[in-house]
Amino acid sequence: MNVNLTALIVDAADLEGESSFWHRLLGGSIARTATHHFLRIDGFPVIAIQHAPDHVPPQWPDGASQQMHFDLTTDDVATADRRVLDAGGRRLRPTEDIDVATEKGAGVYASPAGHPFCVRSA
């Protein structure tokens, strides 16, 4: 028996804002319906942004549970940090978590809808 990943579903009250953020950060293409935006990226099946009008961003890291999160890797942590912020994300941990001299470490961020994700050195 095989189990295959077909999609990662992300709730957001603002479909356009959340799907645009992930598109600006990761590239790919977006297909839109009234209730879902599907981001297809080479090498990954689909990230589906699902309209959830009552979605309230989690108040991480104050103890709120985290259902799941993205882990991203990069060969240039400092540039990735700027790209996340330019795309509309925000830092959840201070930039000191990333050693700029060696570009090693991990940054913890949130998408516009408040979903946490990490950017780690490759």
Side-chain angles (χ1 to χ4, degrees), residues 5-28:
L5 176 66
T6 57
L8 175 62
I9 310 299
V10 176
D11 287 351
D14 178 4
L15 277 175
E16 190 61 41
E18 188 73 1
S19 63
S20 293
F21 169 77
W22 290 110
H23 181 253
R24 288 179 67 192
L25 186 61
L26 301 174

Side-chain angles (χ1 to χ4, degrees), residues 17-69:
E18 188 73 1
S19 63
S20 293
F21 169 77
W22 290 110
H23 181 253
R24 288 179 67 192
L25 186 61
L26 301 174
S29 62
I30 300 175
R32 293 169 170 84
T33 71
T35 59
H36 292 79
H37 287 188
F38 300 94
L39 177 60
R40 188 167 302 278
I41 303 165
D42 291 342
F44 193 83
V46 171
I47 299 171
I49 314 304
Q50 174 176 273
H51 188 233
D54 298 326
H55 172 74
V56 176
Q59 299 302 308
W60 193 90
D62 72 356
S65 71
Q66 177 178 291
Q67 304 303 311
M68 71 172 90
H69 70 274

Side-chain angles (χ1 to χ4, degrees), residues 21 24-25 74 76-91 95 98 100 103 107 109 117 119:
F21 169 77
R24 288 179 67 192
L25 186 61
T74 181
D76 185 343
V77 174
T79 300
D81 178 76
R82 285 189 302 277
R83 188 170 177 180
V84 167
L85 300 177
D86 289 347
R90 62 186 168 90
R91 288 186 195 103
T95 55
I98 301 169
V100 177
E103 294 194 353
Y109 302 88
F117 63 98
V119 177

